[in-house]
Every structure is written in C-alpha cells, then in structure tokens.
C-alpha cells in the first residue's frame, strides 16, 4: 500500500523510513514527501492531524461495559477521561473497525518470561512504530522534536492525558523518573540508551506538558530508542509511587517493613515494576497501557482488564481497546500449550518449535485456529556464546583466543541441524544480521560456518590444547578442558547436538538446563562458561538503538550472557567504574558510539553499520547454526486485526498493536 507521508501523518508527526538517503534532513519532525509501502492498514495520528487531512472523526463512544459506572457517577464521562480532543490519538485498524467485548488468553512459560505477542498488554511508549517499523510516530508524546544538531529533543505530552487511575500525566512524571528513580542511590540505574556520551540525559521542564531532553553528545537515535521496550518509557506516576520513596515519605522504610520488604528500595522497585512488561505485581499501579492488571491467581495467571482512561480511539471515534480482558496463562509444559491451542483454550500462542508444525497444522480445523509463520529479520534462530569474562581465569584465557571460537564454529554440522531440528526450513549460516539487512555482506553468512572438523582440530592444536589419552584436550593448568553449556531457553535438542560436536573435537561439553532466574544469577556471578540465547535485536532499527550484541557487554546490562559487563561500566562511567577493556573491545565500543551518533539513513550510517556488524562477525563472539527460520505462532480464527504473515518478526512482534484486536462470534 503506497501512502504519501505528508498527507498521511501531518506536520507534527515524525516518520523514520527504511532506506532514506543522505538528503534526509534531521529536523524537528521528519515529515517527508516520499512514498512508502506499509505492510498493512494500521496507522496512528494525533486527531487534529488526522482531521486536517479532510476526514472527520465522529463523536467519541465508549465500551458498553462502562455505561453503568458513568450513569452512577463512579466513573467520569468519556470526554473527561480522554485527552483534549485535538490530542486524542486516532488509530486506523489493521483490517477493520472492531466490536467491543470478550476475553482472550495467551501463554507464558514462567513468571519472568515474555508472555505475549506484540507486547499485547503494554503497547505504550513515548513513540510508537507501525507494523514493520516503517514509520515511527509520537505515541504517549503528542510530539517529539529533535534539534537540528541532535543534541536535544523537546517532548510535548498530550494535554489532559490521564493515568489509569484518572490522575493527570505531566512533565513531573518524567522528571520523577530521571531525578528520583534512575541511577539515584540504590535504585536501578538508568537504561543504557538514556546515557549518551558517557553521561545521563539531563531533563529540563519547560511547562506541565513539555520537557527538553539534553544530550552530552549527538543522539539522532533518541526517537527510535523511546519507541521500544522499557527504555522507551522514561516516566513514572509520581503521585502514586512517592509513597514508597524515602525522599518523599519519611515513613518509607516503615512501610516497606510492614509490607515484608528488606528496604524501601525493594518496596519501591516492586511497586514500580510492570509499567512496561507483564511482570507487574502491584495491581493498583497506574499505567498507560490498554489494559490494567487486576488479579494474579494462585496459579500465577495474570488478568488484565480494560483501562477506562486509555487515550486512543479508532477512526469512527470508538475508545480503544475493543477487548474487555486479556489473561496471561502460565503454562510451562510445551506439550500442554499445544493441547490448549488445539482445544481452543488459547486465543494466540507462541513458544513453539519448528518440529511442532505438523501437529499444529493437523489440529487447525478442529481447534478453529491458524498457524502463523513469521519471517524473522534475524541471521540466526539462536546463538551460542562463550563468556569471555568468566571468573575461571584459565577458561577466560582460552575463550578470548579467537582461534578457539573459530574452531568451535567449524566443529558444528549446520546442515545436520537444519535437517533434524528445523525440518529444512532454515539456512545453514553464521550468526549475524539477516541477508535482507542493509548491513549484510555476502561473506558474513559463510564465515567459519563450514563443517570442517580437521581445521577445527588444527586450530585447537595450534593453541597448545593437546588431547589426553581419553581424547579430551588439556587446559594450560593441566586440567581436562570441560565446558558447561547453560540452556535457559529450552533449546535442549539443539544444545545437546552442539555438545556432541564440541566434545568430538576434544572440548568436553555438558548441557545444563536451568531456569532463566537461575541463569541470570549465574551470569551475574561470572559462573556461566557457555550458553545458548536468542539471536534477536539485529533488525536494522532495533540494533541501532540497542546494539547489545555488537559491543560489551554482549547481552543486556542485566543479563550479559557473553560477558564484558565491567567493560561496559567502564565506558558508561568514563573510566570511573568497571574495568578497562582490551584494545579490541574498546575500539569496538568507540565504533558503536560513533555509529549511534550518525543520523539514520546517511551514507556514514550505512558505512559504519557494516563495519560494526563485520567486526563482530569476525570476532566470532556469537556462533550461529541455522538462520532465517520462520517463527511459529497460532491465532484463533475469531481474533481479528491480528498481524498476518506479512509481518516481520522483530523483537517479539512489537508491531502487534493489540488495542485494536477484537473477537467475532
């Protein structure tokens, strides 16, 4: 579908387009005249921008479930719950205008896992993205204006916008996040993307609806960075959370003790948790999401009910969301998930493997669902890595020799993996970006990805890791070279194959299946030697804002699966904390920082991006097996406006936009 951006979005909306050339000017709004192809009909506008294009939005309407409360006076009228009319957000649904009502259920494997498609209960950030990230538009913010020098951004909130408890959203909520939460005392630090040029972003209040974000270095990625995940939500409901903050309540420690917490910090973090994500504990926490957490039952299932103050309407003026309720079902056994799908007890589901396809397809008619295969914008379905800063100093020395990592890659029979694990659906290749990425070069997919046991053995011999009488290689300290491979993401058949391949070249490998919580603790303690993890965050715009696999630490700061957390702390603190990285990794950090300071779409952006990716592939820090494998999901045929197979798998299908999903009979 071709759409002219200026007509579609209006002057106050920002558009960031894939492949925009160097002529794109980094001004306040990014309103462009180019034409782009949206993968489906979903789009969002500020109401005045939408109407300026010539289409009038009818009078606002609410779900009938609110009628009695409004009539009784226990809930304000709809006009008093929405922002000022011009600041209401208008959503054009993916397929059609929906109908109100109904409950849908989806699955999660454990309390700390992502349990939804498209972040169904929490699509709310300062900026939003269209289905395939073609356009970035203001979301919670009415507008985001990036200065011409990329050294600041002015964010204007929606006038009259309210938290789910009816209290106003103001600039003070942003200042509260920056000045009283992020990096203050013992509270969790600011997300890495809110630290620019080694210094935290400084926020200046202009008025009750407007703040200015000031950067220590050019930050053209700011708009994208506040359109994704937790870092895209740098505000918190001050009016509610200050009760648990010692700077606002002298009794904060007493309250924490009464609630069973060890300190006010623990209590505050618990009550704040869940503004984004589905890890919420406090059912009274005010949110800006389409649904509010209302209950967690004894089995760990979470119930989300419609937010009466949600600030979006469809093009016919119906307040969103359409669905009354979503339920996050805790189902740890993959076999039970499949049974629940086939019996119609889950309206959409994921956590499937490609091996599940025959069973899922066979049950479609009886279960009234469709099996969805999403093309992944990834160069690997999962990846394996050695912890280059593991606390075992001898292993650390071995892992930091690139010849070891090259050998471990050459020992892998990728064709066998593709045939036996992925049913031939993937492409045997090295880890990296998708072949469709503008940063991909032909050599990357084949880099040390041949199955060459002789060469693998030769590299290990060259390192001096000779084999003992039992065929196991000997470490420099005389001990057998044994590696524990942690699998916390349930890729056991694949991990067991990897262990066989590595053991065959003399590196004795044992798979240790663990929960994510246990794994995270072991990673933080430096006890993990090798692991398997997801290979996402390599889609172009995603890696630009969150280059977690391209510079230390290799992984999230909170879960650095590949190591290097102390190196990252050194960079973020300008050397005041952490550990100075070796020259190779220090240079890579500097390169990534330079790339992120380069405007999206410029020639330098593409040149540096290829260098960032190329260096990381050559460092062999991530070992891929099979790439470009479709992700498997199921959707009830009653669930409408759900993304179809034209949607790319980018970061857990972030473009799902669940507020416009609805159910038919």
């Amino acid at each position: 579908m071709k759409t002219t951006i200026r007509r579609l979005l209006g002057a106050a909306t920002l558009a960031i387009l894939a492949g925009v050339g160097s002529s794109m000017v980094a001004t306040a709004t990014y309103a462009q005249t180019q034409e782009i192809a949206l993968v489906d009909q979903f789009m969002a506008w500020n109401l005045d921008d939408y109407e300026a294009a010539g289409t009038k939005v009818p009078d606002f309407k609410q779900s009938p479930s609110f009628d009695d409360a409004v009539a009784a006076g226990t809930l304000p009228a709809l006009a008093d719950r929405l922002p000022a009319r011009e600041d209401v957000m208008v959503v054009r649904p993916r397929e059609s205008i929906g109908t109100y009502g109904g409950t849908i259920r989806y699955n999660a494997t454990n309390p700390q896992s992502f349990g939804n498609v498209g972040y169904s209960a929490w699509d709310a950030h300062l900026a939003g993205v269209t289905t395939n990230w073609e356009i970035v538009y203001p979301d919670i913010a009415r507008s985001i204006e990036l200065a011409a020098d990329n050294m600041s951004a002015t964010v204007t909130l929606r006038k009259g916008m309210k938290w789910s408890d009816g209290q106003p959203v103001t600039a003070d909520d942003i200042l509260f996040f920056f000045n009283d939460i992020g990096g203050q005392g013992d509270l969790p630090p600011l997300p890495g993307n809110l630290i620019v040029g080694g210094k935290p972003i400084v926020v200046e209040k202009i008025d009750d609806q407007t703040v200015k974000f000031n950067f220590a270095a050019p930050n053209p990625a700011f708009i994208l960075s506040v359109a994704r995940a937790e870092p895209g939500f740098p505000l918190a409901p001050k009016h509610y959370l200050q009760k648990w903050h010692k700077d606002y309540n002298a009794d904060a420690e007493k309250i924490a003790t009464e609630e069973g917490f060890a300190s006010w910090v623990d209590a505050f973090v618990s009550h704040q948790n869940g503004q984004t994500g589905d890890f919420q504990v406090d059912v009274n926490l005010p949110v800006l999401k389409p649904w509010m957490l209302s209950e967690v039952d004894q089995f760990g299932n979470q119930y989300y009910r419609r937010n009466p103050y949600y600030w979006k309407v469809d093009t016919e003026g119906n307040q969103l969301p359409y669905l009354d309720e979503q339920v996050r079902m805790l189902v740890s056994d993959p076999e039970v998930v499949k049974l629940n799908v086939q019996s119609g007890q889950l309206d959409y589901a994921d956590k499937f493997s490609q091996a599940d396809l025959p069973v899922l397809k066979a049950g479609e008619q009886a279960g009234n669902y469709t099996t969805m295969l999403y093309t992944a914008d990834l160069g690997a379905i999962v990846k394996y890595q050695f912890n280059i800063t593991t606390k075992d100093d001898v292993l650390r020395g071995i892992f930091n020799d690139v010849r070891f990592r090259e050998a471990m890659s050459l020992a892998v029979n990728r064709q066998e993996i593709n045939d036996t694990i992925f049913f031939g659906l993937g492409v045997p290749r090295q880890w990296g970006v998708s072949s469709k990425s503008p940063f991909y070069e032909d050599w990357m997919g084949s880099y040390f990805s041949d199955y060459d046991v002789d060469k693998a053995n030769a590299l290990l011999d060259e390192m001096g890791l000779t084999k003992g009488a039992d065929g196991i290689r000997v470490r420099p300290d005389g001990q057998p070279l044994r590696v524990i491979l942690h699998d916390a993401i349930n890729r056991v058949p694949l991990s067991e194959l990897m262990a066989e391949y590595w053991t065959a070249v003399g590196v004795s490998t044992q798979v240790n299946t663990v929960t994510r919580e246990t794994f995270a603790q072991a990673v933080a303690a430096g006890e993990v030697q090798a692991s398997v993890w997801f290979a996402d965050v390599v889609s172009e715009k995603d890696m630009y804002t969150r280059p977690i696999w391209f510079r230390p630490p290799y992984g999230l700061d909170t879960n650095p699966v590949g190591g290097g957390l102390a190196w990252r702390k050194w960079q973020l603190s300008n050397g005041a904390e952490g550990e100075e990285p070796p020259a190779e990794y220090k240079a890579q950090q500097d390169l990534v920082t330079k790339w992120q300071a380069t405007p999206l779409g410029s020639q330098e952006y593409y040149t540096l991006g290829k260098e960032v990716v190329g260096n990381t592939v050559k460092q062999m820090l991530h070992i891929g097996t099979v790439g470009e494998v479709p992700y498997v999901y199921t959707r009830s045929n009653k669930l409408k406006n759900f993304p179809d197979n034209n949607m790319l798998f980018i970061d857990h299908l972030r473009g799902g936009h669940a507020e416009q999903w609805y159910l038919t009979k």
Side-chain angles (χ1 to χ4, degrees):
M1 177 175 59
K2 290 282 187 179
T3 313
T4 302
I5 295 301
R6 187 176 300 279
R7 174 175 55 80
L8 179 72
L9 300 177
T13 303
L14 38 111
I16 298 180
L17 314 180
V20 171
S22 58
S23 62
M24 175 176 173
V25 180
T27 57
T29 61
Y30 292 107
Q32 302 293 312
T33 58
Q34 291 96 337
E35 291 190 345
I36 62 167
L38 296 174
V39 72
D40 56 38
Q41 302 228 32
F42 175 86
M43 192 57 228
W45 301 263
N46 296 328
L47 186 142
D48 58 350
D49 290 328
Y50 179 76
E51 292 191 331
T55 305
K56 179 76 173 176
V57 176
D59 291 339
F60 300 138
K61 296 174 284 294
Q62 67 183 6
S63 166
S65 64
F66 292 140
D67 290 349
D68 289 345
V70 171
T74 57
L75 183 69
L78 178 57
D80 296 324
R81 303 199 308 269
L82 292 171
R85 192 177 195 281
E86 66 273 13
D87 281 2
V88 170
M89 174 157 274
V90 178
V91 172
R92 182 175 63 201
R94 180 167 284 119
E95 302 169 16
S96 57
I97 297 295
T99 55
Y100 284 121
T103 297
I104 63 172
R105 292 170 172 80
Y106 57 93
N107 66 305
T109 55
N110 68 68
Q112 297 302 314
S113 71
F114 293 116
N116 47 41
V117 175
Y119 291 80
S120 63
W122 49 298
D123 281 328
H125 303 285
L126 284 182
V129 293
T130 50
T131 301
N132 275 356
W133 295 44
E134 303 99 337
I135 297 171
V136 181
Y137 54 82
D139 200 40
I140 289 173
R142 171 179 170 78
S143 65
I144 302 175
E145 299 182 0
L146 194 62
D149 60 2
N150 296 314
M151 293 294 292
S152 66
T154 300
V155 172
T156 302
L157 299 173
R158 297 178 184 278
K159 189 182 303 181
M161 188 177 190
K162 298 173 180 65
W163 294 96
S164 57
D165 62 356
Q167 294 299 307
V169 178
T170 73
D172 289 337
D173 295 318
I174 296 179
L175 267 64
F176 181 65
F177 178 89
F178 277 90
N179 298 338
D180 299 303
I181 302 178
Q184 305 303 313
D186 296 323
L187 290 170
L190 284 172
N193 73 319
L194 298 181
I195 299 174
V196 181
K199 297 180 180 179
I201 292 174
V202 176
V203 181
E204 171 189 355
K205 181 178 178 179
I206 306 300
D207 57 39
D208 284 346
Q209 260 68 54
T210 313
V211 297
K212 185 178 181 183
F213 290 76
N214 297 291
F215 317 129
N219 187 23
F222 175 77
I223 294 169
L224 271 168
S225 71
V226 294
R228 64 150 344 272
E230 291 82 352
F233 199 86
L235 68 164
K238 178 180 179 180
H239 70 278
Y240 182 76
L241 290 172
Q242 61 188 2
K243 172 183 175 180
W244 292 275
H245 199 297
K246 70 176 181 63
D247 291 348
Y248 290 88
N249 187 349
D251 294 328
E253 286 288 0
K254 179 182 176 182
I255 292 172
T257 301
E258 290 173 348
E259 292 184 351
F261 294 101
S263 69
W264 76 269
V265 170
D266 291 342
F268 184 91
V269 170
S270 177
H271 285 284
Q272 182 196 12
N273 199 24
Q275 287 187 195
T276 57
D278 41 12
F279 307 145
Q280 189 173 342
V281 176
D282 183 354
V283 297
N284 296 312
L285 175 71
V287 296
L288 296 174
K289 300 183 283 190
W291 296 270
M292 312 174 296
L293 179 66
S294 59
E295 179 189 356
V296 181
D297 67 21
Q298 61 180 328
F299 304 108
N301 302 318
Q302 296 176 337
Y303 298 80
Y304 294 87
R305 59 185 172 85
R306 180 190 284 109
N307 175 3
Y309 292 91
Y310 195 57
W311 34 281
K312 298 182 183 180
V313 301
D314 65 21
T315 51
E316 293 188 2
N318 301 298
Q319 185 191 24
L320 299 173
Y322 295 129
L323 295 168
D324 289 335
E325 187 178 51
Q326 292 211 42
V327 184
R328 179 185 188 266
M329 305 294 293
L330 197 58
V331 187
S332 59
D333 187 337
E335 294 304 313
V336 176
V337 174
K338 283 182 282 187
L339 290 173
N340 285 347
V341 167
Q342 292 172 321
S343 62
Q345 296 181 59
L346 290 174
D347 295 283
Y348 66 94
D350 64 348
K351 312 296 189 294
F352 300 114
S353 72
Q354 286 68 34
D356 294 324
L357 273 172
V359 173
L360 292 174
K361 292 294 290 184
E364 285 183 335
Q365 185 172 355
N368 193 28
Y369 66 86
T370 299
T371 305
M372 317 289 290
L373 295 180
Y374 291 110
T375 300
D377 196 14
L378 310 172
I381 187 68
V382 294
K383 63 187 184 62
Y384 289 80
Q385 56 269 314
F386 296 92
N387 185 352
I388 55 177
T389 53
T390 182
K391 70 177 185 180
D392 184 322
D393 288 339
V394 177
L395 284 180
R396 183 170 178 168
I398 293 171
F399 294 166
N400 273 277
D401 190 321
V402 70
R403 292 174 296 178
F404 177 80
R405 304 192 296 271
E406 290 169 350
M408 294 299 95
S409 181
L410 290 169
V412 177
N413 188 337
R414 291 171 171 82
Q415 188 60 57
E416 182 178 59
I417 289 172
N418 191 38
D419 292 341
T420 59
I421 303 293
F422 298 108
F423 288 74
L425 292 172
V427 177
R429 54 158 293 175
Q430 190 54 267
W431 169 88
V433 297
S434 161
S435 59
K436 301 177 182 64
S437 170
F439 307 126
Y440 181 80
E441 296 179 319
D442 288 342
W443 64 267
M444 294 177 178
S446 59
Y447 193 74
F448 281 90
S449 66
D450 292 338
Y451 180 45
D452 193 335
V453 173
D454 290 341
K455 188 173 181 180
N457 278 313
L459 285 168
L460 295 171
D461 291 341
E462 185 181 306
M463 290 177 63
L465 299 172
T466 58
K467 289 183 178 180
D470 59 357
I472 302 304
R473 295 183 182 274
V474 180
R475 302 175 3 156
D477 61 357
Q479 298 297 314
L481 178 51
R482 303 188 187 279
V483 173
I484 303 298
L485 173 60
H486 281 71
D487 187 331
I489 61 171
N490 195 29
R491 299 299 188 273
V492 178
L494 176 56
S495 293
E496 288 178 342
L497 267 180
M498 295 293 284
E500 289 180 18
Y501 298 145
W502 291 346
T503 300
V505 295
V507 180
S508 178
T509 306
Q510 176 185 340
V511 178
N512 181 26
T513 57
V514 294
T515 65
R516 291 198 194 182
E517 295 79 9
T518 300
F519 177 68
Q521 293 169 4
V523 168
E527 296 170 351
V528 169
Q529 299 168 358
S531 62
V532 58
W533 202 250
F534 305 103
D536 54 357
V537 201
V538 293
S539 186
E540 179 192 350
K541 296 186 180 75
D542 205 11
M543 60 180 280
Y544 179 57
T545 60
R546 197 173 59 141
I548 60 174
W549 303 127
F550 300 93
R551 52 93 179 115
Y554 294 97
L556 297 172
D557 290 0
T558 54
N559 194 18
V561 298
L565 182 59
W567 300 343
R568 174 69 168 163
K569 288 181 178 178
W570 183 89
Q571 184 198 35
L572 293 178
S573 66
N574 283 327
E577 299 177 28
E579 173 187 328
E580 184 173 2
E584 176 185 15
Y585 299 109
K586 186 177 178 182
Q588 184 71 3
Q589 285 178 330
D590 293 341
L591 176 64
V592 170
T593 299
K594 181 179 180 181
W595 178 52
Q596 287 188 291
T598 306
L600 181 78
S602 65
Q603 185 57 53
E604 186 180 12
Y605 162 84
Y606 290 114
T607 299
L608 292 176
K610 286 185 177 181
E611 187 177 355
V612 165
V613 174
N615 284 356
T616 311
V617 171
K618 290 175 181 177
Q619 288 169 336
M620 291 298 302
L621 295 165
H622 318 293
I623 297 175
T625 58
V626 173
E628 311 195 28
V629 179
Y631 275 70
V632 183
Y633 291 77
T634 61
R635 170 191 61 81
S636 166
N637 292 330
K638 296 182 295 183
L639 183 57
K640 303 302 180 182
N641 285 342
F642 197 85
D644 65 19
N645 286 349
N646 290 320
M647 183 182 192
L648 289 174
F649 182 92
I650 305 176
D651 186 31
H652 298 80
L653 297 180
R654 178 166 298 281
H657 305 295
E659 74 276 355
Q660 39 94 59
W661 297 352
Y662 71 98
L663 287 170
T664 57
K665 299 294 185 182

